[in-house]
Amino acid sequence: MIAHRLSGIAAALSAVLVLILASGCGDSINKQDVKVPEMSEDQARATAEEYTRLVIEGIRAPVVDRAPSFTVSPCGEVMSGKDSIEKTFTALRIQNITVPSQQQESVFRRARATIEEMGFRIRKFETATAAGKGAGNLTAMKPADGFSITLQSTASAEEVMIMVAGPCLARPRASAGGSLQEPPAGRTSQA
């Protein structure tokens, strides 16, 4: 049941990311001026896994006994039919850690320091402790590669969710003939 809820959360977050990325950066920027970085799906997965690992090591919290999820979604002008997952994509990795509610505030503070040391800029940071229950929300982005990290307290009082999302990425062109590489068959996997 919890795994089903997490997969629902991952699907909802992927949909939100698609809508945000499909909306573009604004009317004042020419689409030709925006360079979408190239990265393979495997590179995006490895980057997300590494960022997750560094956060977990920094806050010293055990992972829950469930496999993390990794989802790839289309981005770009997919809503107008001008783009597809074969050309551009965004990646999302979700993993939960076990943190007792009374320790969550201190864990969010350690996470903030760890994430800043990794070169991310904090966009949002909130902690609230009421009646012994921890709650937190941290969002950060790394300007160097566009990846973002979000930590949130979950409905379970003993867990914190770590989400690492990639920016809109272009699949690398194949070296022969300049055609796009074929994407892997699966879109969601356990990482």
Side-chain angles (χ1 to χ4, degrees), residues 45-189:
R45 177 191 301 264
T47 300
E49 286 174 356
E50 179 66 7
Y51 288 156
T52 303
R53 183 188 67 77
L54 290 170
V55 170
I56 291 170
E57 281 181 5
I59 59 180
R60 301 175 302 277
V63 297
V64 296
D65 192 21
R66 290 187 304 276
S69 68
F70 181 80
T71 306
V72 173
S73 302
C75 64
E77 295 184 36
V78 70
M79 301 305 275
S80 62
K82 295 181 182 176
D83 214 343
S84 69
I85 198 163
E86 284 76 27
K87 294 180 183 177
T88 59
F89 70 98
T90 186
L92 176 67
R93 185 175 198 276
I94 298 175
Q95 183 161 10
N96 283 20
I97 55 175
T98 303
V99 182
S101 58
Q102 63 273 21
Q103 296 175 11
Q104 286 193 16
E105 186 169 346
S106 64
V107 164
F108 272 89
R109 292 189 189 287
R110 282 197 310 265
R112 179 182 183 150
T114 297
I115 290 169
E116 286 177 327
E117 287 173 9
M118 293 166 54
F120 284 77
R121 290 188 184 153
I122 304 299
R123 302 281 180 144
K124 182 177 188 179
F125 180 73
E126 301 172 334
T127 63
T129 304
K133 292 188 176 183
N137 188 2
L138 184 155
T139 305
M141 189 191 137
K142 189 170 189 176
D145 63 12
F147 274 77
S148 64
I149 295 177
T150 301
L151 272 73
Q152 291 182 334
S153 298
T154 66
S156 167
E158 302 294 314
E159 292 184 14
V160 171
M161 179 172 40
I162 302 172
M163 296 179 287
V164 178
C168 190
L169 299 166
R171 293 184 185 280
R173 300 203 178 268
S175 57
S179 63
L180 292 174
Q181 294 178 345
E182 288 298 313
R187 291 288 156 244
T188 302
S189 63

Side-chain angles (χ1 to χ4, degrees), residues 22-43:
S23 66
C25 297
D27 295 333
S28 64
I29 297 175
N30 291 328
K31 288 184 179 21
Q32 299 90 334
D33 295 339
V34 178
K35 175 141 175 43
V36 177
E38 283 190 2
M39 185 178 283
S40 72
E41 198 169 302
D42 289 339
Q43 290 170 314

